[in-house]
Amino acid sequence: MDKLLIEGGARLSGEISISGAKNAALPILCAALLTAEPVTFTNVPQLKDIGTLLHLLADMGVKVERNGDTVTLNAAVISNPVASYELVKTMRAAILVLGPLVARCGETKVSLPGGCAIGARPVDQHIKGLQAMGAEVSVEHGYVLAKSPRLRGARLFTDMVTVTGTENLMMAACLAEGVTVIENAAREPEVVDLANCLVSMGAQISGAGTDVIRIKGVDRLHGTTHRIMPDRIETGTYLCAAAVTAGDVRLLNTSSAYLDAVVDKLMDAGCEVISERNAIRITAPARLKAVSLRTSPYPAFPTDMQAQFMAINCVAEGSSIIRETIFENRYMHAVELQRLGANIKIDGSTAFVTGIERLQGATVMATDLRASASLVIAGLVAEGETTIERIYHLDRGYEKLEEKLAALGARVRRTS
């Protein structure tokens, strides 16, 4: 199993390019199931999760062609509308095939998903929505079974804001009979990117990016070409890496448009952040100021950036309070940061972090995708060498991480 070795103390500087957004690419790839015509997607990141999903689609009969960051899918024939446990167990986003398969094929069998162990993320909102649209849905032996000759438009209200739930129901509604209104919808930029892709395929969608999305069903969708948006969480992660090392870094092929909450916190910490049309430059002080934060659904501070900010707070001047409101088990990285010497106290959903002068290198274990990123950031400023084990989590969400960090001057290498 691969490990990442980081020799701390190097200041990051220079330029790197940001990849396409994993959390946008996954639902958009699933949208290919809604049409019998070929669809082409560009700026698709080369990640483990993307490879797993393409394998899953191929297993259903979809023709898959991949050339660098370009993927062409042809779902003219869906011979096997089943998502097996073996292909779904490592990736929660596989549940996103549920809505498109019911809408296109009339029935499907999808394994309950796996993924990061960061807390309960039930699919009951997906099921409730499909049932309201007329589908017969049951959960048997670890699989969601859904059937409907044709879904019907309905007024849907999710009990909680759910990104994948919003995406699943929006895709299903595109081929439903009549109008579907999703209330309490997720407002994330990735939802908007999916909606833009669906509209380019002939869907009739309005309100994406607000908490009420309206979809008028059509009889069929057609092929399209769509470019995946840049990854805002990868962008935020490299901004934190630059900040913690007193760096001067320019990130290309990205935008601060979806990162207001993150950029505001970095500026509060003492960084200068300059937004360009397709790039962001950050210049950080010798030592950051501690910043408190509270995670909430977009456009507030993203839960996927909480671990990275905990890492920079560990060596910032002063104390900070972090409140996690999205997932109940998303502080597993705190114990590993403590192994590096961090002063962190956890009380339920609240973390109290007191900054210290420097961390000390040690062997730590990644527990989930964003926790892995926090350990990398901490390792960049820890004294001596830090070894991060179980980095397969990183490969699920960060394309060529060690190569990009090395290009910025970090002393980092992968070893088996």
Side-chain angles (χ1 to χ4, degrees):
M1 194 175 292
D2 286 359
K3 303 176 183 180
L4 210 60
L5 275 61
I6 303 173
E7 184 70 32
R11 177 176 182 264
L12 300 191
S13 63
E15 297 181 343
I16 56 169
S17 289
I18 296 300
S19 303
K22 173 181 84 88
N23 289 339
L26 292 170
I28 286 172
L29 291 172
C30 293
L33 295 166
L34 291 167
T35 178
E37 298 181 14
V39 288
T40 298
F41 305 117
T42 60
N43 202 34
V44 179
Q46 298 182 48
L47 301 168
K48 188 175 180 181
D49 275 8
I50 298 294
T52 300
L53 182 60
L54 293 178
H55 187 184
L56 174 61
L57 294 174
D59 194 57
M60 294 175 181
V62 178
K63 293 181 180 178
V64 178
E65 294 181 17
R66 188 173 189 178
N67 183 15
D69 71 350
T70 300
V71 174
T72 298
L73 302 175
N74 187 335
V77 177
I78 301 176
S79 56
N80 180 39
V82 175
S84 70
Y85 173 72
E86 284 305 312
L87 288 174
V88 171
K89 64 182 180 181
T90 63
M91 185 181 63
R92 176 173 174 76
I95 194 67
L96 287 163
V97 302
L98 179 63
L101 286 175
V102 177
R104 173 90 185 282
C105 303
E107 63 178 330
T108 185
K109 179 181 177 182
V110 178
S111 172
L112 291 170
C116 287
I118 58 176
R121 294 186 283 180
V123 298
D124 58 321
Q125 301 302 307
H126 307 238
I127 293 172
K128 174 184 165 185
L130 290 174
Q131 288 173 330
M133 296 170 73
E136 297 177 15
V137 187
S138 61
V139 179
E140 301 176 16
H141 306 291
Y143 281 82
V144 179
L145 281 64
K147 181 184 295 187
S148 176
R150 187 179 183 187
L151 296 171
R152 301 187 305 271
R155 194 172 195 89
L156 311 177
F157 182 87
T158 58
D159 296 334
M160 55 184 287
V161 177
T162 162
V163 175
T164 54
T166 299
E167 292 167 339
N168 231 340
L169 297 175
M170 183 167 64
M171 286 190 283
C174 287
L175 296 180
E177 183 179 0
V179 176
T180 299
V181 178
I182 306 174
E183 299 185 28
N184 199 29
R187 301 163 59 188
E188 270 71 3
E190 294 80 8
V191 174
V192 178
D193 201 27
L194 171 62
N196 290 339
C197 175
L198 292 168
V199 168
S200 75
M201 295 168 67
Q204 297 186 26
I205 302 172
S206 61
T210 74
D211 59 359
V212 180
I213 301 177
R214 187 178 185 273
I215 309 105
K216 183 179 180 181
V218 297
D219 291 333
R220 58 182 293 275
L221 296 179
H222 53 71
T224 192
T225 298
H226 179 82
R227 180 175 176 83
I228 306 297
M229 66 175 283
D231 195 317
R232 62 191 174 102
I233 304 303
E234 183 192 22
T235 301
T237 299
Y238 284 111
L239 288 174
C240 285
V244 81
T245 62
D248 183 354
V249 168
R250 188 163 175 258
L251 304 178
L252 310 176
N253 302 321
T254 188
S255 169
S256 63
Y258 314 121
L259 281 167
D260 286 347
V262 170
V263 169
D264 285 349
K265 290 298 180 183
L266 286 169
M267 293 175 71
D268 288 345
C271 298
E272 179 184 5
V273 182
I274 300 174
S275 299
E276 304 173 28
R277 184 176 179 182
N278 292 303
I280 305 173
R281 182 178 176 183
I282 182 170
T283 306
R287 191 178 185 193
L288 301 171
K289 301 172 186 174
V291 290
S292 296
L293 58 93
R294 179 181 187 271
T295 66
S296 288
Y298 187 86
F301 192 91
T303 181
D304 279 355
M305 286 300 303
Q306 176 258 108
Q308 297 90 314
F309 267 78
M310 182 181 285
I312 68 176
N313 276 333
C314 288
V315 292
E317 183 181 355
S319 299
S320 60
I321 299 172
I322 298 175
R323 291 186 172 89
E324 173 61 55
T325 73
I326 307 298
F327 297 120
E328 74 278 6
N329 194 26
R330 205 163 199 181
Y331 284 143
M332 292 186 288
H333 49 281
V335 176
E336 301 303 312
L337 290 170
Q338 288 169 342
R339 286 182 52 77
L340 301 176
N343 185 348
I344 304 170
K345 294 179 174 61
I346 304 295
D347 183 7
S349 61
T350 303
F352 301 90
V353 185
T354 301
I356 60 176
E357 286 286 340
R358 60 180 55 85
L359 299 172
Q360 296 181 341
T363 298
V364 291
M365 182 175 67
T367 53
D368 62 70
L369 173 55
R370 306 308 173 185
S372 306
S374 76
L375 299 179
V376 171
I377 290 168
L380 291 172
V381 289
E383 212 170 48
E385 187 174 79
T386 298
T387 301
I388 305 174
E389 298 183 339
R390 292 175 61 180
I391 60 168
Y392 58 82
H393 288 293
L394 281 171
D395 295 333
R396 291 183 48 233
Y398 291 95
E399 182 178 20
K400 300 177 181 177
L401 176 82
E402 64 269 28
E403 293 180 30
K404 292 184 179 183
L405 285 174
L408 295 175
R411 297 187 290 262
V412 55
R413 62 188 176 93
R414 180 183 293 247
T415 184
S416 295

